[in-house]
Amino acid sequence: MGRAGRTGGVTMHDVAARAGVSIKTVSNVLNEYPYIRPATRERVEQAIAELGYQVNLSARNLRRGSTGIIGLALPELRLPYFAELADSVIGAAEREGLTVLIEQTGAERTRELAVLTSAQRQLTDGLLYSPLALDLADLTSLRLDFPMVLLGERIFGADADHVTMANVDAARAATEHLLARGRRRVATVGAHPGEASGSAVLRLQGYREALEAAGLPFEPALVAEAWFWNRAAGAAAMDRLLDSGVGVDAVFAMNDALALGVLHALHRRGVAVPEQVAVIGFDDIEEAQYSAPTLSSISPGRDQIAQTAVRLLRERIDRGDAAGPPRTVVAEFTVVARESTATS
Amino acid sequence: MGRAGRTGGVTMHDVAARAGVSIKTVSNVLNEYPYIRPATRERVEQAIAELGYQVNLSARNLRRGSTGIIGLALPELRLPYFAELADSVIGAAEREGLTVLIEQTGAERTRELAVLTSAQRQLTDGLLYSPLALDLADLTSLRLDFPMVLLGERIFGADADHVTMANVDAARAATEHLLARGRRRVATVGAHPGEASGSAVLRLQGYREALEAAGLPFEPALVAEAWFWNRAAGAAAMDRLLDSGVGVDAVFAMNDALALGVLHALHRRGVAVPEQVAVIGFDDIEEAQYSAPTLSSISPGRDQIAQTAVRLLRERIDRGDAAGPPRTVVAEFTVVARESTATS
DNA sequence: CTCAGATCGTACATCGTTGTATAGCGAGCG
DNA sequence: CGCTCGCTATACAACGATGTACGATCTGAG
C-alpha cells in the first residue's frame, strides 16, 4: 500500500525540531491558538514552509473525531440533473470549508440502503441524501444516528432535515403554463402508477389540480408512465402516446430528461414543436437552453437548494445533535418559458 | 464538531470484551488473518454483529498510511463529458475497492495547481488528473511524489502515467466522415489559436490532415475559435461563421457540447441539418443520442478510459512506486454516425 | 520587593487501529 | 520421551495529531 500523508513524510516532530519548539506548539500555530509569541509563530511558520510540512489528515481526523467530509448520495452522475446538483453542492461545501464524497446508488434499493450503513459513511461527518427507491419505513427502521439532510421528494416526514421544493405547486404551474397557451389536450409523461410517494406522485397531483381548476377532465389515457426518468423513457412514452391515437397538443414531462426524450420522439415523427405539440419539462438543466427547440421548464433553484442543504447539514454537524427536531426548507421555483411552449 | 466514527462509538475493545478475546484478534478477523480457529472467528463475528461494530476508518488510515481513496480532479461536473467520466471512474474504482473524491478546478490555473498541493490531496492515495489550463512545465517543476495518472490531452511527456486517446487520428476520422459524405466546405469549431498543446491543437491538426489528404485547401476562415467548450460558445462560434458569409456545408465541432451549440444556432437560423450543414461532434455524450437531429460523434470509449486509468493508478499505489517509468495508454475510438451527418 | 494574574510553552495521555514479537499449546517425528 | 514445528492468540508499541494539566516566564500592583 502506498503511504498517504506523503509530502515527504514530514511530521510535526520534524517541524518542531527545526523550529526549536515542542510539537504541541507547532500544533498550536496550526490551530490558531491565541497565546503564541509572534517570534515563535514566525519561526514555526518558517520551518513549516522550509520543510513543506502538511498536517496528516488521517491523524487529525482520528484525534478530532471528525473529518470535514460530507457524503452526497445520489442515483447517477450520468443524469444531468444530479451532475448539476453535485456541482452546486461541491461549490457550496467548498465555501463552508467542507469536502464532498459522492456515492452513486443507481437508484437501487439495496445500494441506497448500503450507503447508510457502509464503512464509508463513517469517514464522513454527515450525509446529503437523495434517495429514489427507499421508503419512509426503511429510513425510520434504521434509527440513524448521524447528521443527515434529505433532498428531493421521495421521502417526507422522516426524522431528518429536508430540502425540497413545492412539487405540487410547480407541476401545477407547469401545466397551467400550457393551458394558458390555449392547449386543451395536455398529456403528462413520467407517472409511476401504484406508487404512494415520490416526485412522480406529487407532480401528477399538480397536473390534476391544474386541469381541475381549468374545468378540464382528467383522462388516464393522457398519462404516460415512465419509471426511469431518462431520455429513452421519455421518447418511448411519447411514442406510446402518439401510437395510442389519443389527441395531444401539449406535454408536461416530469423532468427535463423525459422532456428531451419527448422532443426527440416528436422530432423523429415529424411533429412540430410547439406548433402541434407544446412541451414543458422540469428541473431546468443546462441542456434545456440548447435543445432544438429550446425547452421550457421549471427551475428549482438548484444553487439555493445546494447551499441550503449544506448549511443545514453543517449546522447539525457543528451543534453535534444528530437528533433534534427536523427542519424542512421548501425552495422557490420559477417557470422558465422557452421555444417549446412559445405561442405565436 | 460532530463525532465521526459514530455507529454508536463501538470500538474494537468493546467487541473484544464481548467475544472474550484480545483486540488484535478482532483486528485479525477483520483483516482475514489466516490463523484463527473457526470457533473464535465465529464468536468475534457474532459480537461484531450484535454491537453493530464498524472499523474506524480514520484510525485505520492513520495506522495503515493509506486511505483507499483516490482523487479525481476535473474542470466541472456541469460539463456532461466530465459528469459521465466521473460516473465511469466511480464505477471502475468501486470494482477495485476504491473510493473517489472529486475535486473541481473550474479549468482555472490556480485551482488546478492547488489540487496538487492541497491538504486534501493528502487524504488520498493517488490522483486521476484532468487538467485543462496547466503546462507540462508547471507539472515538472513541482516534483510530485504521489501516484498520479493523467487524463486527456492537455499535457504530454510528464513523468506520470497517462491515459489518452488518438486525438489526431480521431479528429481526422471525424473530418473524413464529413468529406466522405460529399461535403467540401468543412468548418471546425473550438480552436484555441496560439496554444501549443491540448486537445484543441491536436484536433485541429487531425482536421488539417484530413483536408490535406483529400486535396482540399486549409482555409483559416473556416476555423472558428471557442475557448470554452460549452454549448454557448459553440452557438456563438456558429453564428460568427454564418455571419461571416464564408460558405459552410459541414462542421466538425471539437466536442459534443460545442456541437450541440452549433446545432442550436443552426436551428435558430433555420438552417437544415444535415441537408444544408452536416455536423459531427466529439466525446459521444449521452445527449448526442437525443438531440434533434441526433448527433454524430467520436466515441472515445469512456468506460475503457476510466477502467484503465483506475487500474494504472492502483498498480502504482500497490507497488508503492510513485516514480517508475511513466506508461501511456491510448484508448480506441470509433466514429458513431447519426442523423446530423446522414446522407440522402 | 513580592506576589497574583496573565502569557507562553511543554510533557503526557489519548484517539482506534494494525505490525512485530512472542508465548502457549498440541501434534508429529526421531 | 523430548524436541521441533505449525498453529492460535496475545501484549505492546507504534501511526501523527490534539486536549489537558501544569510548569515557566513576564507584567504590574501593592
Side-chain angles (χ1 to χ4, degrees):
Chain A
M1 272 294 167
R3 284 180 36 91
R6 202 161 316 254
T7 75
V10 186
T11 79
M12 273 193 179
H13 278 97
D14 305 320
V15 175
R18 177 153 197 137
V21 296
S22 76
I23 62 165
K24 188 66 221 285
T25 298
V26 178
S27 170
N28 284 340
V29 169
L30 258 44
N31 293 283
E32 305 187 18
Y33 180 74
Y35 300 132
I36 308 176
R37 225 176 328 216
T40 312
R41 177 189 303 276
E42 182 81 14
R43 260 185 309 145
V44 171
E45 276 167 352
Q46 174 140 5
I48 289 176
E50 285 170 6
L51 296 173
Y53 167 78
Q54 284 187 278
V55 288
N56 179 319
L57 289 183
S58 292
R60 169 179 283 180
N61 292 345
L62 170 59
R63 184 61 238 222
R64 293 231 249 245
S66 74
T67 60
I69 301 176
I70 59 177
L72 172 62
L74 43 75
E76 283 194 298
L77 280 177
R78 217 164 267 281
L79 304 175
Y81 174 75
F82 289 105
E84 294 181 15
L85 180 65
D87 190 315
S88 295
V89 166
I90 291 177
E94 206 168 302
R95 267 171 267 129
E96 298 260 0
L98 295 169
T99 306
V100 177
L101 197 64
I102 296 176
E103 301 189 72
Q104 300 194 108
T105 61
E108 295 165 27
R109 222 185 97 85
T110 47
R111 291 175 68 196
E112 286 191 351
L113 281 169
V115 161
L116 298 173
T117 53
S118 82
Q120 219 61 262
R121 240 270 42 248
Q122 213 254 112
L123 197 52
T124 207
D125 293 341
L127 182 65
L128 297 179
Y129 192 48
S130 178
L132 284 189
L134 247 47
D135 285 328
L136 175 56
D138 292 316
L139 219 53
T140 47
S141 71
L142 275 169
R143 217 178 51 70
L144 301 167
D145 61 345
F146 52 85
M148 177 165 82
V149 174
L150 285 168
L151 299 174
E153 291 73 43
R154 174 67 194 176
I155 293 178
F156 285 95
D159 191 24
D161 292 340
H162 192 170
V163 180
T164 183
M165 52 176 302
N167 262 264
V168 178
D169 293 350
R172 178 171 171 162
T175 310
E176 282 170 347
H177 177 80
L178 298 170
L179 296 171
R181 276 152 183 72
R183 311 293 169 146
R184 283 300 171 269
R185 309 282 313 155
V186 180
T188 185
V189 168
H192 288 181
E195 218 175 56
S197 70
S199 311
V201 174
L202 299 172
R203 295 181 192 177
L204 183 63
Q205 191 191 328
Y207 163 80
R208 294 186 71 149
E209 285 185 12
L211 292 180
E212 203 167 316
L216 292 172
F218 171 75
E219 294 182 38
L222 285 173
V223 176
E225 110 182 32
W227 286 91
F228 295 101
W229 282 7
N230 56 27
R231 298 180 185 88
M238 191 67 227
D239 278 335
R240 288 200 310 278
L241 277 175
L242 293 174
D243 291 341
S244 77
V246 62
V248 172
D249 63 10
V251 176
F252 162 49
M254 293 191 187
N255 84 351
D256 283 352
L258 288 168
L260 291 163
V262 165
L263 287 184
H264 177 65
L266 291 171
H267 169 77
R268 185 164 20 76
R269 301 171 69 132
V271 180
V273 178
E275 293 77 5
Q276 296 176 262
V277 175
V279 179
I280 189 166
F282 202 115
D283 284 346
D284 194 29
I285 63 176
E286 204 177 316
E287 192 179 338
Q289 300 168 44
Y290 294 96
S291 59
T294 56
L295 178 67
S296 299
S297 192
I298 299 291
S299 168
R302 205 166 13 258
D303 280 335
Q304 194 209 333
I305 288 179
Q307 207 166 321
T308 307
V310 170
R311 187 173 48 74
L312 289 182
L313 186 57
R314 162 149 249 233
E315 282 173 18
R316 275 229 179 225
I317 293 171
D318 287 352
R319 288 216 314 273
D321 77 315
R327 298 164 293 177
T328 296
V329 175
V330 179
E332 314 257 306
F333 69 89
T334 54
V335 179
V336 182
R338 298 205 182 88
E339 291 169 10
S340 68
T341 57
T343 46
S344 89
Chain B
M1 270 296 166
R3 283 183 37 96
R6 200 163 315 254
T7 73
V10 185
T11 78
M12 273 193 180
H13 276 98
D14 305 320
V15 175
R18 177 155 199 134
V21 296
S22 76
I23 63 166
K24 189 65 223 284
T25 299
V26 178
S27 170
N28 285 339
V29 169
L30 257 44
N31 292 284
E32 304 189 18
Y33 179 74
Y35 300 131
I36 307 174
R37 221 176 331 219
T40 312
R41 178 189 303 277
E42 181 81 13
R43 259 184 309 143
V44 170
E45 275 167 353
Q46 174 141 3
I48 288 176
E50 286 170 5
L51 296 174
Y53 167 79
Q54 284 187 278
V55 288
N56 179 317
L57 289 182
S58 291
R60 168 179 283 180
N61 292 346
L62 170 59
R63 181 63 238 217
R64 292 230 250 242
S66 73
T67 60
I69 301 177
I70 60 177
L72 171 62
L74 44 75
E76 284 193 298
L77 280 177
R78 217 164 267 281
L79 304 175
Y81 174 75
F82 289 105
E84 294 182 15
L85 179 66
D87 191 315
S88 295
V89 166
I90 291 176
E94 205 167 302
R95 268 172 265 130
E96 298 259 1
L98 295 169
T99 306
V100 177
L101 196 65
I102 296 175
E103 302 190 72
Q104 298 196 110
T105 61
E108 294 165 27
R109 222 184 96 84
T110 47
R111 290 174 69 195
E112 287 192 351
L113 282 169
V115 161
L116 299 172
T117 53
S118 82
Q120 218 61 261
R121 243 272 39 251
Q122 213 253 118
L123 198 53
T124 203
D125 294 340
L127 182 65
L128 297 178
Y129 192 48
S130 178
L132 284 189
L134 247 48
D135 286 329
L136 176 56
D138 293 315
L139 219 53
T140 48
S141 71
L142 276 169
R143 216 177 52 68
L144 302 167
D145 61 345
F146 53 86
M148 178 165 82
V149 174
L150 285 167
L151 299 174
E153 291 74 42
R154 175 66 195 176
I155 292 177
F156 285 96
D159 192 24
D161 291 341
H162 192 170
V163 181
T164 182
M165 51 175 304
N167 261 263
V168 177
D169 293 352
R172 178 171 170 162
T175 310
E176 282 169 347
H177 177 80
L178 297 170
L179 295 171
R181 275 150 185 73
R183 310 295 168 144
R184 283 300 171 268
R185 310 281 313 155
V186 180
T188 185
V189 168
H192 287 180
E195 219 174 55
S197 70
S199 311
V201 174
L202 298 171
R203 295 182 191 177
L204 183 63
Q205 192 191 326
Y207 164 81
R208 294 186 71 149
E209 286 184 13
L211 293 180
E212 203 168 316
L216 291 173
F218 171 74
E219 294 183 38
L222 285 172
V223 177
E225 115 183 27
W227 285 92
F228 294 102
W229 283 7
N230 56 26
R231 300 180 183 88
M238 191 68 228
D239 278 334
R240 288 201 309 278
L241 276 174
L242 293 173
D243 290 341
S244 76
V246 62
V248 172
D249 64 10
V251 176
F252 162 48
M254 294 192 186
N255 83 351
D256 283 352
L258 287 168
L260 291 162
V262 166
L263 287 184
H264 177 67
L266 291 170
H267 169 78
R268 186 164 17 79
R269 301 171 68 132
V271 180
V273 178
E275 293 77 6
Q276 294 174 263
V277 175
V279 178
I280 189 166
F282 202 113
D283 285 345
D284 193 28
I285 63 176
E286 206 177 316
E287 189 179 339
Q289 301 168 44
Y290 294 95
S291 59
T294 56
L295 179 65
S296 299
S297 192
I298 299 291
S299 168
R302 206 170 9 260
D303 280 334
Q304 194 208 334
I305 288 179
Q307 206 166 321
T308 307
V310 171
R311 186 174 48 74
L312 289 182
L313 187 58
R314 163 150 247 233
E315 282 172 21
R316 277 232 176 223
I317 293 170
D318 287 351
R319 289 217 314 274
D321 77 317
R327 299 163 293 178
T328 296
V329 175
V330 179
E332 314 256 308
F333 69 89
T334 54
V335 179
V336 182
R338 298 205 182 88
E339 291 168 10
S340 69
T341 59
T343 47
S344 86

